[in-house]
Structure formats: C-alpha cells, structure tokens
Amino acid sequence: MKRNIRLVIAFDGTGYCGWQRQENGLAVQEAIETGLSTMCKHAVTLHASGRTDAGVHALGMVAHFFTESKIPEHAFVTGLNSLLPFDIRIRQAHEVSLDFHSRFHATGKTYCYNFFTGDVQLPCSRYYTAHMPGDFKPERLTLAINALQGTHDFSSFEKAGSRDTSLANGRGAVRTLFEVTCTADPGNVNHYSLRFTGDGFLRQMVRILSGTLIDIGTTRLPENSMQHILASRDRRKAGLTAPANGLTLEKVFYSPLT
C-alpha cells in the first residue's frame, strides 16, 4: 500500500551546494534520498517545502516522499540517522495523507539571520554567524521593520533573474511578512539575530532583507530608506545580499498564521 511520509530535517549546510540536487556538488536532498533508497529498497524522491542556497542551514526543513515500504515511522528517524552524515539529522517522521505536499500546503516559514558586528570574529562561530563589522545600532531599524511588516511587492529583495517576470499567473513578488524582529544576544556582545516570519519568500529574499537592515543599522543607509526601497521595486536600490552562513530555516508552518 502506498504511503506518504513527512520528515522534519535539520542540517548544517556548510558542506553542501544547497538543498536541491545539482551537478556541481553534493546536495542535502541527494544525501537523504540515498539513505532512503537504501532503507526502502527502491528509488526515492523527496519533495521539500522549499530550497536553500549553498551554506544555508535548517532546523525545521520539511520534506515528504512516497513508499510502499512497511518500515515504521520511528524507524525512519533512527534508521536514516544511522546512514546519514552527522551534519544532517532527521528530527521527526510521520505518515500523512497521500494528498499532503510539503511545498504546496505550507502556510508560512520562519527564518533567522545571525550576524556579528565586532572587529574580530571567533573561528568557532564562522559557519553559523555572518561577520558584518560596523557600529550597529538596532534602534535605527524601527521604521524599517514597521515598513516591512504586512503585504508588499518585494521585487527589490529578490535575486535578479531568479523568476520569470513575464508570467502572468501566480502572485508575482507579493508576499506577506507577519513578523520581523531584531534581537541582541545578551550573552554575546555584538551578536544579533534578525527573524522573519511570512507566508512565503522569494529567492534570496531573507539574505537581501538582512543585508539592507544591517546597512540601515550601521548608517550605510538612512533610517527612512525602507519604504522607498520597497516602492521602487528595484533590486539595485536595496542593500547587498548578506552571506549565506548566517541564515537558518527555523520552521515551516502548515496552519494559518493570522
């Protein structure tokens, strides 16, 4: 009997070319599919809630696959983790309805961007925290964060050429950000986290938003610039794309966020 198994996955993206299978290197998807194919004794294709770029991490990536194997749910956790490299872990495995789809049924995601603004970054944090040196003032982000929350056309924060803008279907670059926050790590001076929860994200949107907010916080951009950048719908008006190593996909939602 055909089964649909949903996995919740955590991974350190440092050594991978991203989530999706590619010809130029090992992808997280490929590593997990290889383990699943060994367990299920047939070729397995994972369908994920989205993609991540090379060097991006995840605590709660969701993906599903179909199988006729009778392997119990819990065994997909223990069995897969015994086959996978230590930088990929299966956190949960549950059988779901056959019509469930990790991507199309997702209602939102939360991403976290960690960065350090001091002069000298300690080596132990270099894979998970971006080094963005400068005199960062989080209070300068109030106007920008207020401008971002809500439903907007985020064309200014999309990787150039990543979407066919000639297509008339779909929602284009319109997305809704339910919450945007910036918090300081009380135990680590000059360490900050930007967190974004929304109903969907464009290619590299979180990294470009993060780079722009950090530019505002370090006075490289004016405090009131976010509204103008949004209205321009021009990628060239926004800040630089922040490095991939600071970004982590924390959670994928499958229920209403409003």
Side-chain angles (χ1 to χ4, degrees), residues 36 61 76 79-81 83 86 95 108 122 124-125 131 138 153 175-176 181 184 189 192 214-215 223-224 248:
L36 282 171
M61 172 65 86
F76 282 113
L80 262 180
N81 284 337
L83 296 172
F86 290 115
E95 186 167 354
L122 296 178
C124 58
S125 68
H131 189 200
D153 185 313
R175 299 291 185 273
T176 299
T181 61
V189 177
Y192 299 91
I214 293 168
D215 279 350
E223 284 187 63
N224 63 350
T248 298

Side-chain angles (χ1 to χ4, degrees), residues 190-205:
N190 297 325
H191 283 79
Y192 299 91
S193 296
L194 293 165
R195 190 165 274 104
F196 306 85
T197 298
D199 66 352
F201 294 87
L202 303 165
R203 181 78 183 276
Q204 295 190 352
M205 176 174 160

